[in-house]
Amino acid sequence: MEHFDLILKDYANWKLDNIEAIEALKHHRSLIYTRLEPIYLVLNTLYDEAVENGSLDEEKMTIFQTGLNYLHDQFAIIRIYYEKLFDADCEAFEKFTPLVVYLLFIGDFRDDVEEKNGSFDDEELNDIENMIENMIAERREDFAYVEDLLKKAVDKIIETFDVEHVSIIDIYAEIAEHLGVDLEERRTWVLGEDV
């Protein structure tokens, strides 16, 4: 339990460090906020429950810790772009959030395929990732082109490795529904429908 208390404190500190960015992304109805909202709101709900009840059951502790680790990793990437490349200018950053979301998706997808099939390295996916990073740095807005390339590469990988990808976002959206957490955006991140 003492270990979990530290995790709760980590979340409180994480939230304090990121609340301005979260609120700015939420205010601008950012794709990034929409993508991460299920995890963020589940963590808020479980945090409040833990504070009110003094603890959580083991399953909820696991959900909380997994979500916190995921948000921490995602925001480390987001903040690099938001703060370093866009000087925390949410409006300028927002224009390129589709590309940042693609990068976040690629990382999730790569981890999922690797977890299910052992080592995984796809040159085409790596090339697309590099292209997206360059597009963000150069402020190029050819989103439809890169989306098409990414969908084709992902479809090919799914077919080659015979893998079904269910995103952590979708899992937390289901958890949110189970907990009665009302999501502002009803958005699924299922492969083939969205990237």
Side-chain angles (χ1 to χ4, degrees):
M1 184 52 135
E2 188 176 311
H3 173 69
F4 189 67
D5 289 342
L6 290 175
I7 294 169
L8 290 174
K9 287 178 185 173
D10 284 348
Y11 179 65
N13 289 331
W14 177 88
K15 194 170 174 180
L16 281 173
D17 289 345
N18 292 286
I19 195 68
E20 282 184 38
I22 291 167
E23 289 302 319
L25 293 169
K26 183 178 179 181
H27 175 75
H28 285 88
R29 303 185 60 80
S30 173
L31 286 174
I32 289 174
Y33 180 80
T34 300
R35 182 176 197 275
L36 298 176
E37 181 189 50
I39 298 172
Y40 180 63
L41 294 182
V42 165
L43 289 182
N44 283 342
T45 300
L46 293 178
Y47 179 85
D48 291 346
E49 182 180 326
V51 169
E52 185 177 314
N53 298 333
S55 69
L56 294 174
D57 64 37
E58 191 172 325
E59 181 181 15
K60 287 181 178 178
M61 278 192 245
T62 301
I63 291 168
F64 189 89
Q65 185 166 11
T66 301
L68 177 56
N69 291 341
Y70 183 80
L71 273 187
H72 185 275
D73 293 345
Q74 295 289 286
F75 259 80
I77 295 166
I78 292 163
R79 286 182 77 149
I80 289 169
Y81 289 101
Y82 180 66
E83 293 173 356
K84 305 288 187 230
L85 288 176
F86 291 92
D87 297 320
D89 179 347
C90 199
E91 286 187 36
F93 177 68
E94 185 56 32
K95 193 183 274 189
F96 292 89
T97 57
L99 296 178
V100 176
V101 167
Y102 295 156
L103 287 176
L104 298 174
F105 169 81
I106 288 170
D108 289 352
F109 180 69
R110 183 182 283 126
D111 290 345
D112 191 33
V113 174
E114 193 169 282
E115 182 180 310
K116 292 175 180 170
N117 292 294
S119 67
F120 171 74
D121 187 27
D122 184 81
E123 189 173 324
E124 185 176 6
L125 197 59
N126 293 341
D127 290 345
I128 293 169
E129 186 174 37
N130 289 332
M131 178 191 309
I132 293 169
E133 289 170 348
N134 290 335
M135 288 174 70
I136 294 170
E138 297 166 5
R139 308 293 198 271
R140 288 187 285 140
E141 299 180 38
D142 197 358
F143 303 148
Y145 173 71
V146 77
E147 179 182 1
D148 185 54
L149 285 179
L150 183 55
K151 281 187 176 187
K152 287 177 182 173
V154 166
D155 288 344
K156 186 172 137 186
I157 292 165
I158 287 173
E159 187 177 317
T160 301
F161 289 93
D162 191 29
V163 64
E164 180 183 348
H165 174 67
V166 178
S167 77
I168 190 169
I169 308 302
D170 289 335
I171 293 167
Y172 274 76
E174 287 181 25
I175 293 169
E177 186 177 329
H178 178 71
L179 293 173
V181 175
D182 192 27
L183 301 177
E184 286 184 31
E185 300 290 332
R186 296 281 179 205
R187 180 101 172 128
T188 58
W189 294 90
V190 177
L191 220 60
E193 293 175 21
D194 289 44
V195 173

